[in-house]
Each structure stands twice: as C-alpha cells, then as structure tokens.
C-alpha cells in the first residue's frame, strides 16, 4: 500500500482501513505467540501500513 493511494481517500474510509489493519496486526501477534505464523515479516508490513494510514489522516487536506 502506497501513500499516494491513501491521500485520495476520505477520512471515513481511512478510519475504517486503520481499524481493519489494527485488527489484522492483533491477529498476527496472536499467531506469532501460538507459533502459527509462517512469515514474521508480515507484522512489520502491517505496522508500516498503519503508520502510512495515520500519516494520511493527520496530513492537511488541500
């Protein structure tokens, strides 16, 4: 997911996307603790997506 894709979305869409990504991160962490996660790098990717969405939410709309 790129920032350019996010900056065109409205606030409501971004908040819904942020909520789904946080839920996905929670599920990945649970899988990690129960030794069911095959690719731990997925956690890093989801965290970066959350950061991009948060940046898009806080960026001034022009």
């Amino acid at each position: 997911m790129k920032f350019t894709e996010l900056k065109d979305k409205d606030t409501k869409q971004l908040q819904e996307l942020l909520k789904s990504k946080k839920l996905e991160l929670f599920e990945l962490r649970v899988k990690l603790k129960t030794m069911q996660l095959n690719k731990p790098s997925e956690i890093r990717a989801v965290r970066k997506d959350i950061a991009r969405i948060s940046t898009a939410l806080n960026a001034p709309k022009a």
Side-chain angles (χ1 to χ4, degrees):
M1 178 178 314
K2 301 227 179 215
F3 182 76
T4 54
E5 299 169 11
L6 296 173
K7 69 179 184 178
D8 298 329
K9 296 187 179 190
D10 65 343
T11 307
K12 185 169 179 146
Q13 289 175 326
L14 288 172
Q15 287 174 344
E16 289 174 4
L17 191 58
L18 182 63
K19 187 176 180 181
S20 68
K21 286 292 181 180
K22 285 187 176 184
L23 180 63
E24 183 180 348
L25 180 62
F26 173 76
E27 291 171 354
L28 286 173
R29 285 182 174 160
V30 169
K31 285 183 180 180
L32 182 68
K33 293 294 182 185
T34 59
M35 305 295 279
Q36 295 175 352
L37 188 62
N38 293 330
K39 294 194 296 184
S41 61
E42 291 177 21
I43 292 176
R44 185 177 186 201
V46 172
R47 285 180 58 219
K48 286 186 175 192
D49 286 343
I50 290 172
R52 285 187 193 103
I53 295 167
S54 296
T55 302
L57 278 170
N58 292 327
K61 300 289 181 183

